[in-house]
Amino acid sequence: MAARARHDLPEPDAFTRPYWEAAAQGRLLLRRCRDCRRAHHYPREFCPYCWSEDVVWETASGRAALYTWSVVHRNDLPPFGERTPYVAAVVDLAEGPRMMTEIVEWTGPAGQPPLRAGMELEADFRDGTPVFRPRPSTRPAPSR
């Protein structure tokens, strides 16, 4: 039987290779425009704000705030079906850009997710892909 295609792994090209190589090392990169100084994400070869081509890679802090999310209970694409339920989210990175991602280490449906807009998050990496988790100060206290 042929292996099923995976839909969660990136296909790096020459331009995005530095981003994915940094992610594999546990670092989140952004692009920053040297002309208008604004950071942007997803990586592009030009600034989406002023159209300058003078943009460089920059290591992000890995801090973010939760903007919005959805708990996904069904997804038939491999390997997502094995991960349900999971949280698909949009986060506001500390450097300014918004980023689509997944939130990990959340309580789950039985305990109602302890997620709230604006909660502080930190970057983590799974299989070389950036994901986010609640910062330790915002995680619920362990049950006794």
Side-chain angles (χ1 to χ4, degrees):
M1 177 179 245
R4 293 179 63 186
R6 290 196 51 182
H7 299 277
D8 65 327
L9 300 176
E11 293 183 30
D13 58 24
F15 172 69
T16 62
R17 190 160 286 110
Y19 177 85
W20 296 113
E21 287 175 352
Q25 297 168 4
R27 293 183 304 119
L28 178 62
L29 293 184
L30 300 174
R31 298 286 278 175
R32 183 169 300 274
C33 177
R34 289 193 214 194
D35 288 337
C36 73
R37 302 298 306 149
R38 293 179 74 178
H40 60 271
H41 185 80
Y42 63 91
R44 289 169 274 226
E45 296 185 58
F46 62 91
C47 175
Y49 304 106
C50 74
W51 299 93
S52 171
E53 293 180 5
D54 191 7
V55 290
V56 294
W57 292 107
E58 171 183 289
T59 300
S61 67
R63 296 187 70 160
L66 184 59
Y67 177 72
T68 190
W69 71 95
S70 180
V71 179
V72 179
H73 294 277
R74 181 179 172 114
N75 187 334
D76 295 330
L77 295 174
F80 298 105
E82 299 160 8
R83 295 182 185 161
T84 58
Y86 64 89
V87 178
V90 177
V91 300
D92 288 327
L93 299 174
E95 292 78 9
R98 266 192 188 139
M99 176 180 178
M100 292 182 67
T101 188
E102 181 179 342
I103 305 299
V104 296
E105 291 188 11
W106 59 290
T107 302
Q112 294 303 310
L115 302 175
R116 68 182 187 292
M119 78 182 301
E120 294 180 12
L121 305 168
E122 60 187 20
D124 197 1
F125 297 85
R126 181 180 58 216
D127 299 325
T129 301
V131 295
F132 283 78
R133 68 181 71 251
R135 288 188 44 84
S137 63
T138 61
R139 292 183 192 155
S143 301
R144 293 183 180 197

